[in-house]
Amino acid sequence: MAQPKLHLLPILFLVLVAMFCPAGCTVECASCKPICVHGSSTPPSVPDSPPDSTPPPPSTPPVTYTPPPSPPTAPQTPPSTPPVTYTPPPSPPTGMCVPALVPVDVRLIASPAKPVCKCDRPGAVCQDPRFIGGDGTTFYFHGKKDQDFCLVSDSNLHINGHFIGKRNENMKRDFTWVQSIAILFDKHQLFLGALKTSTWDDSIDRLSLTFDREPVTLPEIEGSKWQSTYVPSLYITRASDSNNVIVEVEGSFKITAKVVPITEEDSRIHNYGITNEDCFAHLDLAFKFYSLSDEVNGVLGQTYKPGYVSRLNIGAKMPVMGGDRDFHTSSLLSPDCAVARFTGINEVDTLESSEMPELSCGSGIDGRGVVCKR
């Protein structure tokens, strides 16, 4: 009996599939029977995998963002800015030119943004006492309490200062302040002094003035002026309602004198030992000179000499001017210090403007004999 040709069975199977399932077939896993694709045969009772119970989400059309229409824009005009006008501050109450609790008397010299204290300019004699010479050098001259010293001595101008003070047991010197000055010019005498005061009130005038030993009375109103009938070139003007005056002799000098106290805070900081019995009212002074001679001398006056060379130790924290004996006078009205130059005459060898010009520096420091430095 002939053996069946088994190798032909796959081919025969494919021929039958092609005849009955022209679109192709698949196999049912449970019965291993072929099933036509898209044919008339019954679909399989058991699917290859369980159907997905979750229906596919409905297709959502893409969302397109349409921005809202912009509101109509009206042209905007920036608000007009009024011009800035600088208004100087009101005059502060009495104080010293120190960074303490006492208000400082300042003048806006160079610009409104750069105040310059009168005690920080050449010709200043302030505090205990601190000098700024005509050459711009700062130094201290302590003198001695209850004694007199010549500050400026020239042919026709002599200025003495009376020093008050308090002894500090821990120091070899007195704490001192300039309580009053006497100005001698021509044949005249002018006195300015601070009256002794226990409790300070800036609204109460504590300034004493005399000219040729006669009292000078000024209304306590800022700007009030007194003029001498004997010396028409002499003016005294109140810089504030009380305790602050400007004394000027045209062509010779101009002096600002302000009465100030030592406060409890000052005393505590500097260990002055001031009590309620006396606040040691004294003068803060600012000098300007217009006709000094080549031979001018005195504690302050010597610094206005042409070619003046300071003997101070500039590197010291507090440069101190010595020479108490050279500047000591027998009384406030006596021009008899060792370096005195005063004769009381009008004809003097004055400094020419070409030698000591009138300058105005960017710092606000100006006047005859001032040197502008970079």
Side-chain angles (χ1 to χ4, degrees):
M1 181 176 177
Q3 297 292 330
K5 297 181 179 180
L6 299 178
H7 67 280
L8 297 177
L9 293 177
I11 298 175
L12 179 62
F13 175 77
L14 293 175
V15 172
L16 294 174
V17 169
M19 292 176 61
F20 293 99
C21 298
C25 66
T26 183
V27 179
E28 181 183 10
C29 293
S31 61
C32 290
K33 294 180 179 181
I35 299 175
C36 292
V37 178
H38 302 299
S40 60
S41 302
T42 305
S45 59
V46 180
D48 291 341
S49 61
D52 189 1
S53 61
T54 304
S59 59
T60 304
V63 178
T64 303
Y65 173 75
T66 304
S70 301
T73 303
Q76 297 183 357
T77 304
S80 59
T81 303
V84 178
T85 304
Y86 173 75
T87 303
S91 300
T94 296
M96 297 178 63
C97 295
V98 294
L101 296 181
V102 181
V104 178
D105 179 20
V106 297
R107 297 290 182 266
L108 300 178
I109 305 297
S111 68
K114 189 174 182 180
V116 178
C117 177
K118 70 176 184 178
C119 288
D120 293 330
R121 306 179 65 191
V125 180
C126 297
Q127 302 168 20
D128 56 344
R130 184 184 67 142
F131 290 70
I132 300 183
D135 60 347
T137 302
T138 300
F139 62 92
Y140 291 81
F141 178 80
H142 300 297
K144 293 182 180 180
K145 67 173 184 175
D146 303 324
Q147 296 191 29
D148 307 292
F149 299 88
C150 66
L151 307 182
V152 177
S153 187
D154 202 9
S155 301
N156 194 38
L157 177 65
H158 188 97
I159 303 174
N160 286 338
H162 179 72
F163 285 51
I164 57 173
K166 188 174 181 63
R167 169 64 69 176
N168 185 330
E169 300 300 333
N170 299 323
M171 300 177 63
K172 296 181 179 180
R173 65 169 180 85
D174 301 326
F175 288 123
T176 53
W177 302 272
V178 178
Q179 180 266 338
S180 57
I181 59 173
I183 306 166
L184 312 180
F185 65 100
D186 296 343
K187 302 296 181 181
H188 304 286
Q189 300 173 348
L190 179 63
F191 169 85
L192 292 85
L195 300 175
K196 185 176 180 179
T197 306
S198 56
T199 302
W200 182 258
D201 184 345
D202 190 52
S203 64
I204 300 175
D205 194 52
R206 305 301 294 165
L207 184 64
S208 176
L209 296 166
T210 65
F211 179 63
D212 288 344
R213 302 182 184 274
E214 295 293 330
V216 174
T217 302
L218 269 175
E220 294 184 17
I221 301 173
E222 181 179 352
S224 61
K225 181 180 292 186
W226 175 90
Q227 182 178 12
S228 171
T229 56
Y230 302 104
V231 185
S233 61
L234 170 61
Y235 298 89
I236 302 177
T237 306
R238 282 200 183 273
S240 61
D241 291 348
S242 60
N243 299 307
N244 195 356
V245 296
I246 300 172
V247 180
E248 182 173 10
V249 172
E250 293 178 350
S252 182
F253 63 84
K254 181 178 181 180
I255 304 171
T256 301
K258 184 171 185 178
V259 182
V260 293
I262 300 296
T263 66
E264 292 182 6
E265 185 68 10
D266 293 331
S267 180
R268 184 188 64 81
I269 293 174
H270 300 287
N271 197 26
Y272 290 148
I274 303 299
T275 65
N276 294 331
E277 297 177 357
D278 189 353
C279 69
F280 282 79
H282 59 281
L283 299 177
D284 275 353
L285 300 159
F287 294 91
K288 268 191 175 183
F289 304 105
Y290 305 110
S291 58
L292 296 176
S293 77
D294 294 356
E295 302 301 320
V296 63
N297 215 313
V299 177
L300 178 65
Q302 62 185 337
T303 65
Y304 288 86
K305 282 184 177 181
Y308 169 73
V309 178
S310 175
R311 298 173 295 173
L312 298 168
N313 179 7
I314 303 300
K317 184 177 180 180
M318 292 178 58
V320 177
M321 174 76 69
D324 290 16
R325 294 181 180 179
D326 292 337
F327 306 118
H328 184 264
T329 64
S330 60
S331 71
L332 185 61
L333 295 173
S334 299
D336 58 0
C337 61
V339 296
R341 299 290 184 268
F342 183 71
T343 58
I345 60 175
N346 289 314
E347 296 179 3
V348 293
D349 181 19
T350 60
L351 302 176
E352 297 295 334
S353 60
S354 59
E355 297 178 38
M356 302 289 279
E358 189 83 12
L359 298 178
S360 180
C361 302
S363 63
I365 298 173
D366 57 8
R368 192 177 303 281
V370 173
V371 178
C372 299
K373 296 182 180 180
R374 295 184 180 180

